[in-house]
Amino acid sequence: MTSTLADVRIIDLPKFEDPRGNLSFIEEEKHIPFKIERTYWIYDVPGGQVRGGHAFKEQQELIVALSGSFDVVVDDGKNINILSLKRSYYGLFVPNYIWRKLENFSTNSLALILSSTAYNEQDYIRDYGSFIKMKK
Ligand code: TYD
């Protein structure tokens, strides 16, 4: 429960620039500090919609804007920060016990999330009041 916004960070992913098109990649426990248990993606988001709006007890994640752009709002219970993602060679590392939501999606944006855990509803903290209590 000790994660703070100082633990949230942009990871500069490898990028091979090539006249044929650029290439980036991620290796678990090398470019990111966890093993990848699950990958999911968020797409076809209608204008103005917000995804997320919760924290995780265990899950750590890396969020990448594979296409388009969106904002990730992160909150450690004391401070709030907004990070805009719009390049596929940057990943936002979000540790556990950080409240986060994704918003301001551009048309055709594609958010890739690499997760350290399998999907488990019990891992979610969906009530903001409970989150704040846990952080105290
Ligand atoms: P959820 O993480 O609650 O989405 P958001 O926080 O963006 O609103 O996921 C929505 C639903 O999708 C959830 O109730 C169950 C399902 N789901 C899975 O079955 N597996 C997954 O890996 C994820 C992320 C969601």
Side-chain angles (χ1 to χ4, degrees):
M1 299 181 209
T2 54
S3 301
T4 70
L5 291 193
D7 303 306
V8 175
R9 63 181 194 277
I10 296 278
I11 294 178
D12 212 347
L13 299 167
K15 181 185 181 195
F16 279 82
E17 288 192 51
D18 191 305
R20 298 171 300 163
N22 300 336
L23 182 153
S24 289
F25 59 94
I26 299 168
E27 291 177 11
E28 59 185 4
E29 292 184 313
K30 184 172 174 188
H31 304 109
I32 53 174
F34 59 85
K35 281 188 91 66
I36 301 165
E37 190 68 32
R38 175 173 51 121
T39 302
Y40 65 95
W41 47 100
I42 296 170
Y43 54 97
D44 289 348
V45 180
Q49 289 294 328
V50 177
R51 297 296 315 225
H54 45 67
F56 297 104
K57 296 174 200 161
E58 187 187 342
Q59 182 190 303
Q60 305 173 70
E61 62 188 0
L62 188 85
I63 304 173
V64 183
L66 280 188
S67 180
S69 64
F70 52 86
D71 295 337
V72 185
V73 183
V74 286
D75 175 348
D76 64 6
K78 284 202 175 109
N79 296 294
I80 295 176
N81 198 7
I82 303 176
L83 297 119
S84 293
L85 297 181
K86 60 179 173 196
R87 300 286 177 211
S88 61
Y89 49 86
Y90 289 135
L92 180 67
F93 172 69
V94 183
N96 56 355
Y97 286 106
I98 296 289
W99 190 270
R100 59 85 163 157
K101 66 178 172 180
L102 281 63
E103 62 183 24
N104 200 19
F105 288 88
S106 70
T107 306
N108 288 333
S109 55
L110 171 59
L112 177 76
I113 294 106
L114 307 181
S115 168
S116 68
T117 65
Y119 174 74
N120 173 13
E121 185 57 38
Q122 303 309 312
D123 193 45
Y124 282 70
I125 307 163
R126 292 193 182 271
D127 179 63
Y128 189 72
S130 307
F131 171 72
I132 293 298
K133 271 188 204 149
M134 288 175 186
K135 296 296 279 185
K136 281 188 174 154

